[in-house]
Amino acid sequence: MYKLLIVDDEPIIRRGIKTLAILSEIGIDEIFEAGNADKCLETVDKEHIDIIMLDINMPNTDGLTLAKILKEKNKKIAIIMITGYDYFEYMQTAIRIGVDDYLLKPVNKTDIELVLRRIIDKIKTNIVKDKLMELHSEYENISYDNSSFKAVKEYMKKNIFDSKLSLGLMAEELGFNSSYLSGIIKQIYGIPFQEYVGIKRMEQAKILCLSTDMKNYEIAEKIGYDDVNYFTNKFKKTFGITPKQFKQGIKLNEN
């Protein structure tokens, strides 16, 4: 079960969020409220808060500034920004800070439940990933002393965005058996080869969407995909929106 903190300077908004959605059915068993940044930070220090719903317009300390402070204190806290602004520059700033999702005002029951379910799914996924990384931390620590592990890391770093990259080609060029190489990669990164490559490429795609005016096909080629349709579909599957929608700062609602 999870703890939710609702941060808004208007009590009626805080009460509305609490009453609109049946939060217990989503998996939230404790709900806290804060009307300003100081109360928010005080609550976070006292309670193990998992999710924060944060209004962008706050007195004294605005929501984006507060979100940055919260992420610096604990990057694992999931933050949902509540905003009346559907502008790309706000979304760019929020993404750079590490905001996990957002809601556009006026909010309704369906929107609240959908965004909270997305966030809880993300938290569960991150917990599994953290456990996997703990299991493989021993291998990560000794990789610097192991020539095979070092060779794999250097190869991946150099070729991660090469469209020709494949497990078979990598094994051939490094002189490894494919099964042996697959095992090394899983020991180093905690996940299989294709999954790791996909994650790194999608992370780079998001950066390019934010920081350049490159077209979709240019981004696809830059990160190692020859097929722009494959890239677009993979981006949408990963982030829930298309690259175009991401650039525009428009969240695609789930059906």
Side-chain angles (χ1 to χ4, degrees):
M1 303 296 280
Y2 302 92
K3 293 183 180 181
L4 170 68
L5 172 60
I6 303 170
V7 185
D8 196 298
D9 60 316
E10 297 184 36
I12 191 171
I13 299 295
R14 301 198 301 268
R15 289 196 298 270
I17 292 173
K18 288 172 64 176
T19 56
L20 271 175
I22 306 175
L23 300 178
S24 60
E25 292 185 358
I26 299 172
I28 294 170
D29 60 345
E30 291 189 65
I31 306 170
F32 301 86
E33 296 182 34
N36 54 55
D38 290 340
K39 181 63 176 178
C40 171
L41 294 171
E42 178 186 334
T43 304
V44 169
D45 287 338
K46 289 182 179 179
E47 305 290 341
H48 181 74
I49 300 296
D50 301 292
I51 306 167
I52 298 176
M53 300 185 77
L54 173 61
D55 185 21
I56 198 169
N57 287 322
M58 296 286 293
N60 300 321
T61 305
D62 66 88
L64 289 174
T65 301
L66 180 54
K68 185 174 185 295
I69 294 171
L70 289 165
K71 282 294 186 178
E72 288 173 351
K73 288 173 69 70
N74 182 359
K75 65 180 180 180
K76 291 186 178 181
I77 291 180
I79 298 178
I80 302 167
M81 191 68 73
I82 305 173
T83 175
Y85 306 111
D86 191 14
Y87 299 140
F88 184 39
E89 54 265 33
Y90 284 101
M91 295 307 104
Q92 280 186 308
T93 303
I95 289 168
R96 290 194 185 101
I97 290 170
V99 170
D100 299 271
D101 216 320
Y102 76 96
L103 282 170
L104 283 176
K105 293 180 179 179
V107 299
N108 57 51
K109 178 179 184 293
T110 300
D111 290 339
I112 293 171
E113 291 180 351
L114 283 175
V115 74
L116 285 172
R117 290 185 191 280
R118 280 201 300 268
I119 289 297
I120 289 173
D121 285 343
K122 182 177 180 180
I123 291 172
K124 290 178 180 178
T125 300
N126 288 338
I127 289 172
V128 172
K129 286 182 179 179
D130 287 344
K131 288 182 178 179
L132 282 172
M133 292 307 294
E134 287 177 11
L135 289 172
H136 294 283
S137 61
E138 181 180 349
Y139 296 106
E140 179 70 16
N141 291 334
I142 67 171
S143 64
Y144 298 104
D145 300 320
N146 185 296
S147 59
S148 296
F149 279 34
K150 184 177 180 180
V152 168
K153 283 188 169 185
E154 290 178 350
Y155 188 97
M156 290 291 277
K157 183 177 181 180
K158 181 180 178 181
N159 297 282
I160 193 72
F161 303 126
D162 188 338
S163 62
K164 298 183 179 65
L165 177 65
S166 70
L167 186 66
L169 178 62
M170 183 176 175
E172 181 181 342
E173 293 189 353
L174 291 178
F176 295 148
N177 174 277
S178 292
S179 297
Y180 174 73
L181 175 60
S182 179
I184 290 178
I185 290 173
K186 198 164 185 180
Q187 287 179 352
I188 294 174
Y189 303 110
I191 52 179
F193 171 80
Q194 288 291 355
E195 186 176 347
Y196 177 75
V197 171
I199 289 172
K200 298 303 290 184
R201 288 181 175 181
M202 287 300 102
E203 288 176 351
Q204 183 65 14
K206 189 163 67 170
I207 291 171
L208 292 174
C209 283
L210 282 172
S211 60
T212 74
D213 294 324
M214 295 172 67
K215 299 184 183 299
N216 284 354
Y217 76 88
E218 293 174 317
I219 294 176
E221 292 175 356
K222 189 76 172 177
I223 64 173
Y225 294 124
D226 295 326
D227 187 341
V228 66
N229 291 325
Y230 177 84
F231 159 67
T232 302
N233 290 333
K234 188 169 184 64
F235 191 99
K236 183 177 180 181
K237 184 177 180 181
T238 302
F239 300 114
I241 53 177
T242 65
K244 180 179 179 180
Q245 290 166 334
F246 181 80
K247 292 174 185 177
Q248 294 173 339
I250 300 174
K251 175 65 65 176
L252 181 65
N253 290 326
E254 296 180 5
N255 294 326

